[in-house]
Amino acid sequence: MRSSNLRRALGALALLLGVLTATLTTAPAASASVPDGAIGRGEVMDRSWSWVAEQVPYSWDGCHENQYGCYRPDCSGFVSMAWNLGRALTTWDLWNVTHDIPASDLQPGDALLMDVDGGTHHVALFVRWADPAHTQPVVREEYDFGHVAEERVWGNGLRGFSPRRYDRIDDLVPYGRIAVKYDSMGGPNGVLGTPATGERDSALGGRFQVFQNGMIIWHPDVAYAVRGDILQRFWATDAERRWGFPTMDEADAATAPDGTRGRYQFFEHGLFLWSPQTGTHIVHDAIYDAFHNAGHEAALGYPTTDEVAEPGGVKQTFQKATIHWSATRGTWITTN
């Protein structure tokens, strides 16, 4: 069904407001694909959001036309539009351009599809999980007469729908907050190089994507890059489960008394310090407080060990000193 001029004007305004607030459309519009060609998840989400913002009413007749083409405004026409298919397919036809995936691997832009003889014929576009247990999907869909395209939570789970992935989805194309960060760092010609994996859920609710030379991770709404020896140490020590999310990008650290210079990066629960001479070590909790109060690496030098146990407490050795801690005495510093 073609929209009236008034509906298009209101839809354009809604689309503008939606882009400012939708969690998965924070990046500029994704690069345009060609019909039936490879398409990135960011473009799928941009295209699907357009019908939600324009409040396109469900219908089996005609087509809804906007900047993404003219498609039949029912459930399968909506998904066909989002994937930039050459025409609006039926739910039966969508099986032929998709393949099964486990529910645990559902990603934005994948589909939940059901086609039962004499029963339900429906498809919805997966957006994200609404709950940490991954039992309630957030979907975008055209689902019945008298309703408009909308994003909503399926509170009763997958309900027997099959998770399916479009055969031409390009999982490696960065999108959203990660794409903004990646582009700001030079994209494929920058320090991170080309994408090595698609974007996925992190352990604690954020999202991450791995590149040739590092990773970008965001939570809850800010993305930072982690790379080099700091990234290797982060992964080797249980990553964000132990240290939380980065709160800054890697930066130049101060010069130590002996001239050593390196790099540092803060995470929610610790400071990672690296130099060519000492490698990467992590300073945290009470020992970090003492390190900070004593003047950081400019005074004590770079850490040469991680925190280790000693009788009555723990210690950490730096180039010029050792910081000790015990429950009864607190922290104190001895010179090396």
Side-chain angles (χ1 to χ4, degrees):
M1 181 182 299
R2 293 182 182 273
S3 299
S4 66
N5 290 337
L6 177 59
R7 180 179 294 279
R8 289 183 182 180
L10 292 174
L13 175 60
L15 177 60
L16 175 61
L17 294 175
V19 168
L20 295 175
T21 57
T23 60
L24 289 168
T25 53
T26 57
S31 299
S33 61
V34 298
D36 293 322
I39 186 170
R41 296 188 184 279
E43 185 179 351
V44 172
M45 302 315 290
D46 287 345
R47 293 173 69 97
S48 66
W49 180 255
S50 72
W51 278 26
V52 175
E54 294 167 12
Q55 298 188 312
V56 178
Y58 182 96
S59 176
W60 287 347
D61 300 319
C63 68
H64 176 75
E65 184 174 14
N66 65 8
Q67 70 270 33
Y68 298 122
C70 195
Y71 291 83
R72 185 182 61 251
D74 61 4
C75 64
S76 56
F78 171 67
V79 171
S80 297
M81 179 276 300
W83 289 344
N84 196 9
L85 302 185
R87 61 186 178 89
L89 301 185
T90 66
T91 51
W92 294 277
D93 295 327
L94 288 175
W95 290 95
N96 298 324
V97 297
T98 60
H99 56 275
D100 275 316
I101 58 171
S104 60
D105 193 31
L106 275 166
Q107 301 299 324
D110 290 334
L112 295 170
L113 179 60
M114 182 178 284
D115 193 353
V116 179
D117 289 341
T120 302
H121 307 281
H122 186 55
V123 64
L125 201 69
F126 180 81
V127 178
R128 63 184 179 277
W129 294 104
D131 61 321
H134 290 188
T135 62
Q136 299 179 22
V138 179
V139 301
R140 293 177 184 169
E141 58 181 337
E142 288 272 13
Y143 63 94
D144 202 359
F145 291 100
H147 296 272
V148 298
E150 67 176 272
E151 179 176 304
R152 62 177 184 157
V153 177
W154 285 2
N156 52 354
L158 297 185
R159 301 179 294 166
F161 280 74
S162 297
R164 303 283 291 183
R165 179 161 295 159
Y166 176 42
D167 293 336
R168 299 303 306 277
I169 201 78
D170 188 342
D171 191 49
L172 296 182
V173 178
Y175 62 95
R177 297 180 181 92
I178 288 179
V180 172
K181 183 65 175 179
Y182 182 58
D183 291 343
S184 75
M185 298 180 68
N189 297 318
V191 295
L192 292 178
T194 57
T197 71
E199 181 179 312
R200 293 294 184 269
D201 287 331
S202 74
L204 300 178
R207 299 278 287 178
F208 74 95
Q209 185 167 2
V210 178
F211 299 83
Q212 281 180 310
N213 305 316
M215 171 182 71
I216 295 176
I217 186 168
W218 70 258
H219 175 83
D221 57 4
V222 179
Y224 294 108
V226 190
R227 56 196 180 91
D229 285 358
I230 290 178
L231 175 59
Q232 296 307 314
R233 189 67 178 154
F234 180 64
W235 276 337
T237 53
D238 211 19
E240 67 271 20
R241 294 180 185 86
R242 175 64 181 89
W243 306 112
F245 293 88
T247 59
M248 60 172 291
D249 288 322
E250 180 183 307
D252 287 331
T255 303
D258 70 350
T260 299
R261 298 190 65 179
R263 305 277 286 176
Y264 76 99
Q265 187 165 15
F266 276 103
F267 293 77
E268 291 175 305
H269 307 306
L271 166 67
F272 284 58
L273 266 171
W274 168 88
S275 77
Q277 295 89 335
T278 60
T280 300
H281 297 286
I282 307 159
V283 191
H284 58 95
D285 297 319
I287 287 181
Y288 170 77
D289 292 338
F291 179 65
H292 174 73
N293 292 333
H296 276 259
E297 66 274 11
L300 302 186
Y302 287 78
T304 57
T305 70
D306 289 323
E307 188 177 281
V308 297
E310 67 175 355
V314 294
K315 67 178 180 178
Q316 186 164 11
T317 301
F318 298 79
Q319 289 173 305
K320 301 292 289 184
T322 298
I323 301 177
H324 308 261
W325 174 90
S326 74
T328 56
R329 188 175 172 184
T331 56
W332 69 99
I333 299 174
T334 59
T335 57
N336 295 342

